[in-house]
Amino acid sequence: MNIYIDSASPEQIRTADRRVRLAGVTTNPSIVAETDRRYRDVVEHAAAITDGPVFAQVLAEDADGMVREARGYQEWADHVIAKIPATRAGFEALGRLRADGVPAGATVIFTVEQAVVAAENDATFVAPYVGRIDDSGDDGVATTRRIQSIFDAQGFETEVLAASIRNTTQATALYEAGIDAITMSPSVLDAHVDSPETAESVAGFASAWGDRDPPLSE
Ligand code: G3P
């Protein structure tokens, strides 16, 4: 399974990379906008930290513009891959990029059907928006499980990259379902790592050891 960090902050990306074997970095216009840095700078900085893919979303809303941006992003670093929103224009752009052999993934996936059309366009990944699917009144985990099971049944190579993960309950349900990949915010990664009971137990060990010499002292 691949774990990505959903962040535009070099510090957060580095911290995540130290804590877990990071598959790569996902970004989107909202989190890049929060940084007040150029999109290109954010993506290049992330690409310097990780060898894995750095996903950068196109901003254009028409197919010509999306194709142009996806090609332009490739110039930023070898491992930058464009994220194309699953709109009508987006699917047209994906089809054109496929024909030209330019790798690209499909993002803002809300339905199983969108994911299937993206996979048929050789998208490198599809990103179902689990939390936002829940917000819309549907079931984000169930939708993502269905996408994964269809991809497995059909032998699609497209990676199922669950996004918009709000909590560890969603994440662990997806792990149980055998999801290919997940991208999570630094706070959800923190929630994977932190346990008050672990902290309390570790404090208990320190207190039991008291002021004895540390194990590596002379
Ligand atoms: O990767 C997508 C993610 O950043 C969206 O998350 O919580 O805004 O739905 P959220």
Side-chain angles (χ1 to χ4, degrees):
M1 193 188 72
N2 285 330
I3 293 180
Y4 295 82
I5 194 79
D6 197 27
S7 172
S9 150
E11 193 185 327
Q12 290 175 341
I13 295 167
R14 270 194 218 94
T15 300
D17 193 39
R18 284 196 292 265
R19 284 191 186 160
V20 69
R21 184 179 58 212
L22 206 57
V25 176
T26 61
T27 63
N28 66 43
S30 306
I31 56 179
V32 176
E34 281 169 16
T35 68
D36 276 334
R37 297 168 65 212
R38 286 197 314 161
Y39 212 127
R40 177 176 186 149
D41 293 341
V42 167
V43 171
E44 286 183 339
H45 209 146
I49 298 170
T50 180
D51 293 333
V54 176
F55 298 120
Q57 191 163 323
V58 296
L59 270 300
E61 293 178 20
D62 63 296
D64 285 347
M66 290 175 177
V67 169
R68 192 170 54 249
E69 288 179 357
R71 287 181 167 285
Y73 292 174
Q74 279 201 310
E75 307 296 319
W76 295 351
D78 288 344
H79 49 305
V80 174
I81 296 182
K83 297 168 72 175
I84 313 287
T87 59
R88 287 185 176 195
F91 283 112
E92 186 183 328
L94 267 182
R96 285 165 52 182
L97 292 165
R98 170 178 48 79
D100 293 347
V102 177
T107 191
V108 202
I109 295 278
F110 272 72
T111 70
V112 170
E113 295 84 347
Q114 289 175 323
V116 168
V117 177
E120 281 291 347
N121 267 315
D122 293 342
T124 60
F125 68 89
V126 292
Y129 267 32
V130 175
R132 294 193 194 192
I133 294 171
D134 282 355
D135 294 344
S136 78
D138 206 340
D139 184 331
V141 168
T143 299
T144 306
R145 289 177 68 123
R146 287 185 67 205
I147 292 169
Q148 183 71 61
S149 105
I150 290 167
F151 282 20
D152 292 346
Q154 295 291 340
F156 287 139
E157 287 180 12
T158 299
E159 181 173 68
V160 180
L161 170 55
S164 181
I165 304 297
R166 305 273 170 74
N167 53 58
T168 54
T169 305
Q170 289 170 333
T172 51
L174 292 164
Y175 305 147
E176 281 173 347
I179 200 77
D180 289 331
I182 186 169
T183 184
M184 62 183 86
S185 62
S187 63
V188 172
L189 181 58
D190 282 348
H192 275 62
V193 171
D194 295 336
S195 155
E197 290 78 12
T198 298
E200 196 180 320
S201 294
V202 171
F205 293 136
S207 151
W209 191 254
D211 57 3
R212 292 168 180 78
D213 291 339
L216 293 184
S217 59
E218 289 299 318

